[in-house]
Amino acid sequence: DAGITQSPRHKVTETGTPVTLRCHQTENHRYMYWYRQDPGHGLRLIHYSYGVKDTDKGEVSDGYSVSRSKTEDFLLTLESATSSQTSVYFCAISGEREFVYEQFFGPGTRLTVL
Amino acid sequence: AQKITQTQPGMFVQEKEAVTLDCTYDTSDQSYGLFWYKQPSSGEMIFLIYQGSYDEQNATEGRYSLNFQKARKSANLVISASQLGDSAMYFCAMREGTSNTGKLIFGQGTTLQVKP
């Protein structure tokens, strides 16, 4: 299994508070991703990173920011959490098989914003 | 814009029988990749199989095969000899081009239940 961990695994917070989710990998892969999973929508890309300090927006980036200061860590921040950000958040890393680049996922973080 | 559609919210199959999960896609790119992932009730996402748009043969991985019909833009997953452990949600996903950014677009998912 790819070495990907996420912390925390569960979090309950209140509207308006800042929240940071952490993704840590031990595979030394260049590419990392944050997705959110909601019923009826599958997984949707929030942000991704293609190297240290190199990040870009995904499909649903509003209200989220990311940072990557080290290859192994990719942080997702909700500056001021809203109830619409209640979701399950997955981090993923890209495998290095040329032209395939399958993604391996972390265990997920269940976030509830009250 | 690229899009993935899975039209079967839920499916049932008898243990040991084969089952096909449907996936259609839309893209204007000539080069793309198609993926299937499994999500059991425990929540993790498990990569199952990959098909490249230029691959002439359908991909197979053990009991999983991908029925790729390029003209119809479909990439159905076939699971042979279903097992109870196959009960899960299944997601079809697409990556445009051969870029190693690997950004994926996912379908809504199909829940499969295997009956003993």
Side-chain angles (χ1 to χ4, degrees):
Chain A
D1 291 342
I4 312 170
T5 56
Q6 293 184 229
S7 58
R9 294 292 312 280
H10 301 272
K11 186 171 182 66
V12 179
T13 191
E14 293 187 351
T15 298
T17 59
V19 176
T20 295
L21 309 183
R22 180 183 184 236
C23 177
H24 178 79
Q25 61 145 331
T26 59
E27 305 297 320
N28 202 35
H29 283 332
R30 179 181 172 190
Y31 294 92
M32 300 184 75
Y33 313 81
W34 277 108
Y35 292 89
R36 60 177 290 173
Q37 182 179 15
D38 305 290
H41 290 278
L43 278 78
R44 292 179 292 174
L45 182 65
I46 305 171
H47 282 279
Y48 68 100
S49 170
Y50 42 93
V52 173
K53 297 187 180 178
D54 289 326
T55 65
D56 206 346
K57 295 179 179 180
E59 179 188 2
V60 290
S61 59
D62 287 349
Y64 301 95
S65 63
V66 290
S67 65
R68 192 169 178 199
S69 59
K70 298 185 290 184
T71 298
E72 58 266 35
D73 289 326
F74 191 31
L75 303 181
L76 177 71
T77 297
L78 292 66
E79 300 290 348
S80 178
T82 67
S83 58
S84 64
Q85 294 176 311
T86 292
S87 187
V88 179
Y89 291 85
F90 284 98
C91 174
I93 62 176
S94 273
E96 299 292 336
R97 279 197 295 158
E98 190 177 16
F99 301 126
V100 180
Y101 307 113
E102 71 270 39
Q103 294 183 14
F104 300 101
F105 285 78
T109 294
R110 184 172 296 275
L111 175 67
T112 301
V113 183
L114 302 175
Chain B
Q2 52 180 326
K3 185 178 179 181
I4 292 281
T5 302
Q6 295 178 252
T7 57
Q8 306 155 312
M11 292 273 291
F12 288 92
V13 65
Q14 206 68 35
E15 191 178 11
K16 300 181 184 178
E17 291 184 351
V19 62
T20 298
L21 306 184
D22 294 341
C23 173
T24 58
Y25 60 91
D26 189 19
T27 180
S28 56
D29 269 16
Q30 295 301 309
S31 176
Y32 49 89
L34 296 156
F35 301 78
W36 278 92
Y37 283 84
K38 173 184 178 181
Q39 186 178 42
S41 59
S42 51
E44 70 266 33
M45 293 287 290
I46 302 167
F47 167 69
L48 293 178
I49 197 167
Y50 166 82
Q51 178 85 40
S53 59
Y54 294 119
D55 295 341
E56 294 184 352
Q57 292 192 338
N58 288 341
T60 60
E61 291 284 351
R63 293 186 299 110
Y64 303 108
S65 61
L66 199 153
N67 184 2
F68 181 45
Q69 298 189 40
K70 196 170 184 176
R72 295 185 178 183
K73 293 190 174 180
S74 74
N76 299 338
L77 177 70
V78 181
I79 306 174
S80 63
S82 298
Q83 303 172 356
L84 295 179
D86 293 333
S87 294
M89 179 164 280
Y90 290 81
F91 290 98
C92 180
M94 178 173 66
R95 170 186 49 73
E96 279 191 335
T98 57
S99 168
N100 58 3
T101 61
K103 291 186 292 179
L104 297 181
I105 300 294
F106 284 82
Q108 307 94 314
T110 295
T111 300
L112 176 67
Q113 294 191 35
V114 180
K115 294 182 173 180

